[in-house]
Amino acid sequence: MGRPRNFDADTVVDRAMDAFWTHGYANTSPAQLAEATGVGKGSLYNTFGSKRELFDLCMTRYDRMGTDLANEVLSQPGTAKERLRAWMRLVVDSDLARPVRRGCLVANTAMELGGHDPAATTAVTVAVEHMIEAFTARIQQGQRDGDVRADVDARAYSEFLMNTVGGLRITTKVSDAETLYRIIDTALSTL
């Protein structure tokens, strides 16, 4: 009979996600995970299987949290452009407020593991698709509401915005708010 678990699995995943987000997958050691989560390596691996399985859980959680936040912000009153601007600024402001500018876990994973790690590539693709779907739904709502031109291809524009967001999340590591806000305004200027 195993010992009872003395930790909340969701809290451990959140703390591990912060470690992976800050250091990347390869640069996050089992010792760092144990320190970040407050759970011994043996207990971590008995519960989550492996570093990779824990990382996969972190990616799924990050995707869900990001999609939920985007949908919450995008569903508030205002035009499509206003809501998309609010979400993009929220993301930028969140990155800028941190002592260590980490950017986006999905973008970081795409740069570190994308293209040569099939599972990571799939996780990135799924997370990106969820955001594109959220943007597309909001642009289509804007078209129904009359604040977005009917001739805008909502899906294509959402793909463009997602690419812009990925760039913003990387650029946030080295730029100031004024520059980042200008990029947001330029990206939304044709909507």
Side-chain angles (χ1 to χ4, degrees):
M1 177 180 204
R3 291 182 358 185
R5 194 184 313 174
N6 293 327
F7 56 85
D8 176 67
D10 288 339
T11 300
V12 170
V13 171
D14 285 341
R15 290 176 180 170
M17 181 175 64
D18 281 339
F20 287 125
W21 194 354
T22 301
H23 306 291
Y25 176 74
N27 290 329
T28 303
S29 69
Q32 286 173 306
L33 287 170
E35 181 179 340
T37 62
V39 177
K41 289 186 277 186
S43 293
L44 272 177
Y45 291 120
N46 284 335
T47 302
F48 299 103
S50 67
K51 174 182 166 181
R52 183 49 187 259
E53 288 173 283
L54 181 55
F55 179 74
D56 292 343
L57 289 172
C58 293
M59 288 294 291
T60 299
R61 186 173 197 80
Y62 185 88
D63 173 23
R64 186 176 60 249
M65 290 170 54
T67 302
D68 289 349
L69 179 60
N71 285 324
E72 178 185 326
V73 172
L74 295 174
S75 69
Q76 293 173 8
T79 66
K81 185 185 281 191
E82 290 167 347
R83 298 319 316 148
L84 287 162
R85 179 180 288 114
W87 185 81
M88 293 169 84
R89 281 188 169 212
L90 175 70
V91 168
V92 163
D93 291 343
S94 174
D95 284 350
L96 292 175
R98 296 187 173 279
V100 176
R101 295 183 187 183
R102 308 184 288 188
C104 171
L105 179 60
V106 171
N108 296 347
T109 301
M111 292 187 316
E112 180 183 4
L113 302 173
H116 65 273
D117 181 316
T121 301
T122 298
V124 167
T125 302
V126 166
V128 167
E129 182 59 30
H130 288 152
M131 279 299 169
I132 290 171
E133 289 170 359
F135 294 165
T136 300
R138 187 60 186 93
I139 291 169
Q140 289 170 336
Q141 178 185 336
Q143 289 173 317
R144 289 188 300 275
D145 294 345
D147 60 74
V148 174
R149 296 185 334 266
D151 67 332
V152 169
D153 181 331
R155 171 72 190 197
Y157 204 93
S158 296
E159 292 167 344
F160 163 72
L161 285 180
M162 191 60 220
N163 191 63
T164 302
V165 168
L168 281 169
R169 300 302 300 271
I170 294 165
T171 307
T172 302
K173 292 181 176 189
V174 296
S175 290
D176 58 34
E178 183 180 334
T179 300
L180 298 164
Y181 290 167
R182 196 167 47 247
I183 292 167
I184 291 168
D185 290 343
T186 301
L188 294 171
S189 66
T190 59
L191 185 60

